[in-house]
Amino acid sequence: MDSCVSSPVIDFFIPTMSQSSSYSAREASRALIEPLLNEHVDRYVLPNGLTVVLKQSNAAAICSVQAWVKTGSIHEGKLLGAGVSHFVEHMLFKGTSKRQSREISESVQSGGGYINAYTTFDRTVYYIDMPSENVDVALDILSDCVFNSTLPEEEVEKEREVILREIDMGEDDPDSKLSHALFETVFRQHSYRYPIIGYKSVFEQVSRQELWDYYKERYVPNNMVLVVCGDFRESALKASINSMFGVAPRAALTPVYLPQEPMQLAERSQKLYEDVQVSRIGIGFQVPGLTDEDTPALDTLSMILGNGNSSLFNLHLREKCRLVHQVDSSNWTPGSVGVFYIAMMADPDKCGAAISEIRSFLEGLRAEDFTVDQVSKAVRQLLVSEINSRKTVSGQASRLGSSEVVVGDIGYAKNYLDSISNVDPKQVFEVLKKWLRWDRVSLITLDPKESEAKESESKSVGPAGLDFEEIVQKNGSTLLLRQDKRLPNLHFRLAMEGGALFEDADTQGLTALTSNLLTKDTEKRTSEEVSDAIEGVGGSFYEFSGNNSLGLALEVLPTDLDLALDLIEQAIFHSLFKDETFEIEKEAHIAAIKEQNDDIVAAGRRALRRRFFGDHPFAIGGGGSVETVEPIQREDLVAHWEKLCVASNFSLAISGDFDPEVLRPKVETLMANLKVGVLKPAVIPTDFPAEPGVHREKMERNQAIVYHGYPGTGLKGDDFFVSEVADELFSGMSSKLFERVRDELSLAYFVRSSRIIGLDTSLFYFYAGTSPERYEEVVAELIREVERVANGEVEQDEIDRCKVRLKASRRMSMQTNSSCASQAAMNVAYGLPVNDWQNYDARIEAVGLEGLQQFAKTYFDSSKRVELVIGPNF
């Protein structure tokens, strides 16, 4: 079936009368019910706290006697979810101290009456409809049951089996299961989330004693309302009520804590699969409770949308789009919080389309789609419903009981209908937009079991592929694409070679400053406007730089693709490097260097680099030093960017949710503007270390930091993956080094290894924080550990743990579009295969004991060790 496009309500709702005539009809309907609402009702309270509500009706010689107990499933306290209220309801007709179970039913029957009861969330109601001449029989039986039931042990077990069958019936009823699931989803804190009948496994454990305790605690006169409606003599009836219901003593009544339901702030959903042939759909929106000012308009909205064959939902979804077999809506507001509930029934293959269409329909409704005629029609329907509920004395009694027990005001019906009569189309539209928000919907679907298998198959395609498609442009730039539609997320990662090897010795830190200003002022936007643009769509835009590289990262929602490309294009081709911004960022950069120098660990690492690398650019690091950053001028940034920004040095990785046919041409057009050129780093000797031996530096701090530095292998070196395992071997809480130095000898708070990695060389170093008095012991332990590895004394389980950890870490690092794009773009920038991640596990697995031993012998040569201790005693 073709998709059904939502159309304005006005297209199919044809007004039948003018606005003035609609209001007149509404007033006429209101006038019809006015006498009913103004009928005399006698409400009073007995000395024992029991509330009595009486209403005479002489249309027929019938009386309805109803005992409303203010206790339901939400009042069960520690037994929440056990269905105790419902269990007690079943037991109350099983015998009292005066009557056997059969006597109760026989007395009602012989008096020509009908007896029944029901339990809901907030009340349990027992009622007898009886010819008026036998009203005293009804009063006697109900008072006896509510106050004097014995809950016989043998009947408890019999009735338990009956209720278990009732629970099974509910489990077999798809609509009941859907309703329960909706309430569990909408209500996370409030007790409405628990089924009235209870959970089967919890109900089975309820003891007779627990039933008895609950009954005696909650079935007290000061927690009850007696309603009598019908043909009675007032004085005689009051005397009977006093003698039968007034004798039970008032009792202490512990208040029941009802948690407040927090506002729902996100979409919630639950999928059910049953042995059914058609799908059920429940859509819930959290709404305020009964007394909220929006409730009359929400009730009116529910009538307009989903009540009857002429409702908007039925006309659109069933008659026009033919997506559902049944649809209706209701506004359930019993207390402080409620739910606006839409129920649909559809063929399984149309379930998704029905959900999409109803969302589109609701979100597309406009103020003008609600007319006075519609509102007047809904008001008339509500008024007629009120009239119909009063056709019998039982119905009249129920309306009075609801007002007294649920609302707390016997005259609520009149005030409510006054409010309903004043609802206008504007209010209806306002509550629609305020409360029926799809970003806060609770969506429940119940589909055939075969749908679950089909959905499982559709989801079993495995994780999104990690491979990037590599597309080399004519000018030598590289575009990398990877689709991942699991989330509406899109990440751009531009990576380029840069860093210390492309900087002059007296301007180190130039790359870091340059990359920083790329995210600032452009010809199109000021720095502030760049921030506003990206933050306005909830995205992120930032630079990065290091020893060997620089680049840009940008992340947005897929719908903000054009903004992302515009920001990237402006940064690459139209950055202004404004003087004022440059000065601000330069000052902040220098302050950050100084801040690092205040930290003894960072200061020690800088000193280690200097003594290890000597004249090599890596001696200072990607951020530079105060001395090298101070001389940098704005013109230096412009020239540096001009040098680095050539096509062959440009790799752009894009990972996430995108349409290749839309994205690729746009990106290739952008990249075609890159100038052709080749970037060549400086060729610098790598004969390290520059200053082997023992070094001490003074820094007034409470601790001393010990460093041991050795030559290592670069990123492209044959031994790089052995160095990965070695670094893991010396680090972490389970390493032998940590166990020995930290746990056994208590020499250091931290101890581990790390690396400063270049493409062709690296510094492999150990460091530990210790006390100024014990640094020599730490030095000895570092040497001891290196010798242990060089002597082949590493155990196989140590190596195995390292391999597992490294492979797991790599796998975890590939979870996001950001990390995947970063690795792919950096691989290209460094001249590695774009999807080099594929080889990682095998290369790690190939490392063995002999490889580690040889690595330690080759690189951890004591003659090439730089030992540095920085602390207060030197």
Side-chain angles (χ1 to χ4, degrees):
M1 176 179 176
D2 292 336
S3 62
C4 182
V5 179
S6 298
S7 57
V9 177
I10 197 95
D11 284 355
F12 53 80
F13 184 86
I14 303 173
T16 57
M17 58 187 75
S18 66
Q19 289 193 12
S20 59
S21 60
S22 295
Y23 280 122
S24 297
R26 190 191 306 186
E27 289 303 314
S29 299
R30 182 70 175 78
L32 288 174
I33 201 171
E34 189 76 33
L36 299 177
L37 300 175
N38 289 324
E39 289 179 336
H40 176 71
V41 175
D42 188 6
R43 178 189 181 278
Y44 61 97
V45 180
L46 297 178
N48 63 359
L50 185 139
T51 300
V52 180
V53 177
L54 305 179
K55 179 178 179 295
Q56 281 191 319
S57 176
N58 306 120
I62 301 293
C63 276
S64 181
V65 182
Q66 302 186 1
W68 289 59
V69 187
K70 298 179 183 179
T71 195
S73 62
I74 65 173
H75 302 115
E76 292 172 1
K78 64 181 181 179
L79 295 173
L80 271 175
V84 178
S85 301
H86 178 253
F87 204 166
V88 169
E89 175 220 313
H90 274 244
M91 291 300 303
L92 238 62
F93 297 144
K94 296 301 178 181
T96 71
S97 54
K98 291 183 1 181
R99 296 178 173 90
Q100 296 294 318
S101 175
R102 186 170 182 80
E103 290 180 66
I104 295 173
S105 59
E106 286 180 347
S107 296
V108 173
Q109 185 180 27
S110 62
Y114 171 79
I115 186 171
N116 212 333
Y118 69 88
T119 305
T120 185
F121 288 110
D122 52 13
R123 60 194 181 273
T124 307
V125 181
Y126 304 88
Y127 61 95
I128 298 176
D129 293 338
M130 185 83 82
S132 358
E133 62 269 23
N134 295 325
V135 66
D136 282 358
V137 176
L139 289 170
D140 185 32
I141 291 173
L142 283 184
S143 64
D144 190 26
C145 288
V146 296
F147 292 131
N148 303 314
S149 283
T150 55
L151 312 187
E153 182 75 47
E154 65 277 9
E155 294 293 339
V156 167
E157 295 311 313
K158 290 180 182 178
E159 208 59 31
R160 189 193 307 275
E161 290 302 314
V162 172
I163 296 175
L164 283 172
R165 301 293 74 77
E166 189 178 351
I167 292 175
D168 288 338
M169 287 174 58
E171 287 294 308
D172 289 341
D173 180 6
D175 296 313
S176 178
K177 293 203 74 169
L178 186 78
S179 178
H180 287 167
L182 181 82
F183 273 70
E184 286 179 342
T185 305
V186 171
F187 300 110
R188 295 288 178 85
Q189 299 296 327
H190 201 285
S191 304
Y192 291 145
R193 71 187 314 270
Y194 299 102
I196 296 167
I197 201 169
Y199 297 106
K200 187 173 185 179
S201 59
V202 182
F203 168 77
E204 288 176 325
Q205 305 304 314
V206 175
S207 67
R208 189 266 178 188
Q209 186 63 49
E210 287 173 322
L211 277 180
W212 179 258
D213 292 343
Y214 179 79
Y215 167 62
K216 298 304 290 183
E217 179 182 358
R218 303 294 298 170
Y219 279 65
V220 295
N222 42 306
N223 197 38
M224 293 183 190
V225 174
L226 176 68
V227 183
V228 182
C229 185
D231 184 24
F232 56 79
R233 289 189 302 112
E234 184 174 347
S235 58
L237 180 67
K238 286 186 175 181
S240 297
I241 290 172
N242 190 61
S243 64
M244 297 178 193
F245 279 85
V247 294
R250 183 190 290 267
L253 184 64
T254 304
V256 177
Y257 169 70
L258 296 178
Q260 294 297 307
E261 182 67 27
M263 175 63 72
Q264 182 173 334
L265 299 176
E267 179 181 346
R268 300 172 185 170
S269 63
Q270 188 176 161
K271 294 185 177 183
L272 306 175
Y273 300 94
E274 296 292 332
D275 186 14
V276 295
Q277 298 181 41
V278 293
S279 295
R280 277 86 168 169
I281 304 162
I283 301 172
F285 300 93
Q286 189 184 101
V287 292
L290 190 64
T291 59
D292 191 89
E293 62 180 2
D294 285 343
T295 295
L298 283 165
D299 288 344
T300 305
L301 176 64
S302 74
M303 300 292 288
I304 293 172
L305 291 178
N307 183 59
N309 293 335
S310 63
S311 67
L312 302 187
F313 282 160
N314 192 72
L315 291 174
H316 185 73
L317 291 160
R318 186 176 185 273
E319 303 298 329
K320 182 180 179 181
C321 297
R322 303 186 69 178
L323 289 173
V324 301
H325 299 297
Q326 181 181 324
V327 57
D328 57 61
S329 63
S330 58
N331 189 45
W332 185 79
T333 52
S336 61
V337 64
V339 56
F340 193 103
Y341 182 20
I342 301 170
M344 299 192 293
M345 185 179 294
D347 291 331
D349 60 342
K350 294 180 180 178
C351 185
I355 294 170
S356 297
E357 185 59 33
I358 200 168
R359 174 178 182 173
S360 176
F361 181 76
L362 283 172
E363 292 180 339
L365 286 170
R366 301 160 299 178
E368 56 266 30
D369 293 327
F370 294 97
T371 66
V372 172
D373 286 343
Q374 289 172 316
V375 175
S376 295
K377 173 185 170 184
V379 171
R380 290 196 301 273
Q381 289 173 330
L382 289 166
L383 291 171
V384 169
S385 175
E386 184 69 26
I387 292 171
N388 290 338
S389 71
R390 297 167 181 266
K391 288 180 177 179
T392 65
V393 291
S394 181
Q396 293 175 49
S398 293
R399 296 299 293 161
L400 292 171
S402 292
S403 294
E404 176 64 32
V405 173
V406 180
V407 184
D409 287 301
I410 198 70
Y412 169 75
K414 182 177 188 301
N415 293 336
Y416 171 77
L417 289 172
D418 282 338
S419 299
I420 281 287
S421 296
N422 292 320
V423 170
D424 59 36
K426 180 182 177 183
Q427 290 175 284
V428 174
F429 178 71
E430 287 174 350
V431 297
L432 166 72
K433 293 303 179 184
K434 181 178 180 180
W435 294 107
L436 271 60
R437 292 178 49 174
W438 215 264
D439 60 338
R440 296 179 181 177
V441 71
S442 291
L443 177 62
I444 313 298
T445 57
L446 189 150
D447 292 309
K449 287 184 176 180
E450 53 265 29
S451 299
E452 182 177 21
K454 292 178 182 178
E455 183 168 346
S456 177
E457 290 174 6
S458 68
K459 289 182 177 180
S460 63
V461 295
L466 299 176
D467 283 351
F468 280 79
E469 178 187 4
E470 184 175 9
I471 309 160
V472 179
Q473 307 298 303
K474 292 181 180 179
N475 58 9
S477 58
T478 303
L479 173 61
L480 308 170
L481 299 178
R482 170 183 175 264
Q483 272 190 292
D484 181 359
K485 293 183 174 292
R486 291 173 299 172
L487 287 173
N489 172 259
L490 188 57
H491 188 89
F492 298 78
R493 182 69 60 128
L494 165 63
M496 310 169 73
E497 271 200 278
L501 296 180
F502 300 91
E503 300 169 343
D504 295 333
D506 57 351
T507 59
Q508 287 195 265
L510 183 58
T511 299
L513 269 178
T514 301
S515 63
N516 191 1
L517 265 73
L518 290 175
T519 62
K520 307 300 180 183
D521 308 288
T522 66
E523 292 180 0
K524 192 172 184 177
R525 298 178 182 88
T526 65
S527 180
E528 181 179 347
E529 289 170 341
V530 170
S531 298
D532 286 342
I534 191 66
E535 291 171 7
V537 298
S540 58
F541 184 32
Y542 55 94
E543 83 291 343
F544 62 91
S545 61
N547 295 318
N548 309 286
S549 62
L550 80 159
L552 298 171
L554 190 148
E555 189 162 293
V556 292
L557 296 175
T559 51
D560 299 311
L561 167 64
D562 289 339
L563 173 63
L565 292 177
D566 187 48
L567 289 170
I568 292 172
E569 181 179 21
Q570 284 288 310
I572 295 169
F573 299 112
H574 305 291
S575 283
L576 297 181
F577 301 102
K578 282 186 178 179
D579 287 328
E580 183 180 1
T581 306
F582 166 71
E583 292 298 334
I584 293 173
E585 298 304 323
K586 178 179 172 181
E587 289 177 9
H589 191 83
I590 291 173
I593 294 173
K594 291 179 178 178
E595 181 184 18
Q596 284 188 345
N597 288 340
D598 290 338
D599 178 75
I600 189 172
V601 177
R605 188 181 295 112
R606 281 181 174 269
L608 176 68
R609 293 179 70 143
R610 187 175 62 252
R611 294 186 182 277
F612 183 86
F613 287 111
D615 294 332
H616 192 279
F618 282 2
I620 294 178
S625 66
V626 173
E627 294 74 20
T628 61
V629 173
E630 282 283 10
I632 295 175
Q633 300 298 312
R634 181 255 179 197
E635 292 75 17
D636 297 323
L637 270 65
V638 175
H640 192 58
W641 179 239
E642 185 74 12
K643 178 176 70 174
L644 295 178
C645 189
V646 294
S648 62
N649 191 36
F650 193 101
S651 60
L652 177 61
I654 305 173
S655 181
D657 186 3
F658 61 84
D659 181 348
E661 294 184 2
V662 174
L663 179 140
R664 180 171 171 175
K666 292 182 178 182
V667 178
E668 289 184 331
T669 299
L670 182 155
M671 296 172 69
N673 294 319
L674 292 164
K675 66 181 180 182
V676 176
V678 178
L679 184 68
K680 293 184 178 180
V683 178
I684 301 172
T686 56
D687 186 18
F688 306 124
E691 300 178 37
V694 176
H695 305 276
R696 303 289 184 263
E697 293 196 10
K698 183 177 180 64
M699 190 171 186
E700 291 296 340
R701 296 291 187 272
N702 292 323
Q703 62 179 322
I705 312 297
V706 178
Y707 294 90
H708 273 188
Y710 298 93
T713 180
L715 187 63
K716 294 184 176 181
D718 294 336
D719 293 331
F720 176 74
F721 290 93
V722 184
S723 73
E724 289 270 275
V725 177
D727 190 23
E728 182 68 25
L729 181 72
F730 298 124
S731 303
M733 297 177 64
S734 63
S735 70
K736 294 289 187 181
L737 180 63
F738 186 92
E739 290 178 352
R740 171 74 176 169
V741 175
R742 165 69 184 269
D743 293 343
E744 293 181 22
L745 301 177
S746 301
L747 289 175
Y749 177 69
F750 60 86
V751 57
R752 61 167 302 148
S753 64
S754 188
R755 292 167 294 169
I756 296 172
I757 303 173
L759 298 182
D760 301 311
T761 189
S762 72
L763 164 61
F764 194 111
Y765 66 98
F766 299 81
Y767 64 112
T770 186
S771 69
E773 295 77 26
R774 305 189 70 182
Y775 73 87
E776 290 180 343
E777 295 176 72
V778 173
V779 167
E781 289 301 325
L782 293 179
I783 295 173
R784 176 179 177 274
E785 178 64 7
V786 165
E787 290 176 346
R788 182 180 79 91
V789 179
N791 292 333
E793 298 172 5
V794 177
E795 298 172 5
Q796 186 62 45
D797 70 319
E798 290 182 73
I799 301 175
D800 292 341
R801 286 199 304 271
C802 290
K803 290 178 180 180
V804 170
R805 170 60 185 156
L806 286 167
K807 291 187 292 184
S809 179
R810 173 56 63 97
R811 187 183 306 171
M812 286 188 280
S813 74
M814 301 290 283
Q815 294 182 85
T816 65
N817 288 317
S818 171
S819 58
C820 289
S822 176
Q823 291 189 41
M826 295 304 296
N827 282 343
V828 173
Y830 293 156
L832 299 171
V834 59
N835 296 309
D836 198 41
W837 66 271
Q838 296 173 333
N839 307 313
Y840 188 83
D841 285 6
R843 289 171 177 168
I844 291 296
E845 277 297 332
V847 177
L849 176 58
E850 292 183 4
L852 278 171
Q853 183 179 8
Q854 187 59 45
F855 181 87
K857 288 181 177 180
T858 301
Y859 293 100
F860 299 157
D861 185 341
S862 60
S863 66
K864 294 185 177 182
R865 180 170 62 235
V866 177
E867 179 181 302
L868 170 67
V869 182
I870 183 171
N873 295 340
F874 308 113

